[in-house]
Amino acid sequence: MKERFFWVALSLIGISWMLNSIYAYSKQLDEPIFLDHYIDAEYQDDFYMTFYYLTNKNNSSVVSSVSTGELIGYPEDSYFFDEQVQNNQVFNHHVLRSTNVRFNFDPTTHTENYSFTEIDVSFSDGNRITVPIGIVTIRPRVIEESPLEQVSSSGDGYHYRALEPLTIEMIKSSFQDVLQDNFFIKINSSSTPSLPERTYEKFLDQEWSRLPGLDLQNIQFPLNLKKSKRISVYSRFAADFKAVLDVNIYISGTTESGKPFSTVGGLIVRPYLEQKDVNAIIKEKTKGDTNG
């Protein structure tokens, strides 16, 4: 009788192991999934971009090159190919990894903004995939003096002082039409009128609500600033928006003497995911069902 129980228990263990293996296999990705990236970057001498992607835990390959159109880039960390693969985060069946890519962007020939929405990615195991990447823009560097002096910055925003009388005619963010429901901007200055605050459906944050100023959508331009007067620009992204952000906020206008100006501030967000975020991203990207 004891021998019979032994074989029954052993069979159950075997069946359980087999079912667990089948379940784990069902969660394997056919290919790495890249997160959505919204990057508006200015080219500089030491210029590279960081791309984030989800892949299977047992995937030992790494990115070997990235190309898009006439640009090709190689990871700064390519010399780690023979080293242990580094993971940013580890989940039930998947890992989040990143790669720092340096593109062959030549500012002497690329005098206009260069944008792309997908990339071709080659891996060290020989696999090659084409993936949507969101929206990425590389801008040639432009250095110009501005009558808006940045006096300080914080985790929430930038604070400027007018060096001379000026008129602000526009404030806008990168990819404003695309990100308008997930990226929020507040403006605070002596020129902003008192209007009802915008209601945030996807972004309920008491800290944000306590920040002074008005939502950008409630601002009526132009805004006039006298010399030495200040303006603050705050920004935040929706808590459930799991994307890679490197966006700019552009302030443009004219001085009292009629000279046009433009000032740029920005927000950089690197992803931190939970298991439910990974499930949602995989489901959206593969149009399939995954629950951890």
Side-chain angles (χ1 to χ4, degrees), residues 95-114:
V95 292
L96 177 68
R97 293 178 185 162
S98 62
T99 182
N100 301 321
V101 177
R102 186 183 295 276
F103 285 106
N104 61 333
F105 185 86
D106 184 354
T108 61
T109 57
H110 291 93
T111 57
E112 303 292 335
N113 293 351
Y114 187 93

Side-chain angles (χ1 to χ4, degrees), residues 271-284:
Y272 180 82
L273 305 179
E274 297 180 3
Q275 184 64 57
K276 62 181 178 65
D277 302 319
V278 173
N279 297 343
I281 291 170
I282 293 175
K283 184 175 182 180
E284 170 63 26

Side-chain angles (χ1 to χ4, degrees), residues 5 8 17 24 53-54 74 78 83 102-103 122 125-126 144 146 166 175 182 186 189 197 215 221 238 254 264 284:
F5 285 146
V8 170
W17 178 85
Y53 62 98
L54 292 166
Y74 297 96
S78 59
E83 302 292 333
R102 186 183 295 276
F103 285 106
S122 296
D125 62 0
E144 59 181 355
S146 172
L166 55 85
F175 322 119
N182 293 294
K186 270 188 175 182
S189 80
E197 182 56 279
D215 184 271
F221 293 97
T254 55
V264 182
E284 170 63 26

Side-chain angles (χ1 to χ4, degrees), residues 36-53:
D36 289 333
H37 295 65
Y38 296 94
I39 300 176
D40 180 9
E42 183 180 72
Y43 179 84
Q44 300 182 33
D45 292 337
D46 189 24
F47 177 79
Y48 65 86
M49 286 186 172
T50 304
F51 296 109
Y52 292 79
Y53 62 98

Side-chain angles (χ1 to χ4, degrees), residues 11 16 33 125 137 143 224 260 262 291:
S11 298
S16 176
I33 291 177
D125 62 0
T137 298
I143 301 176
N224 296 311
S262 181
N291 291 302

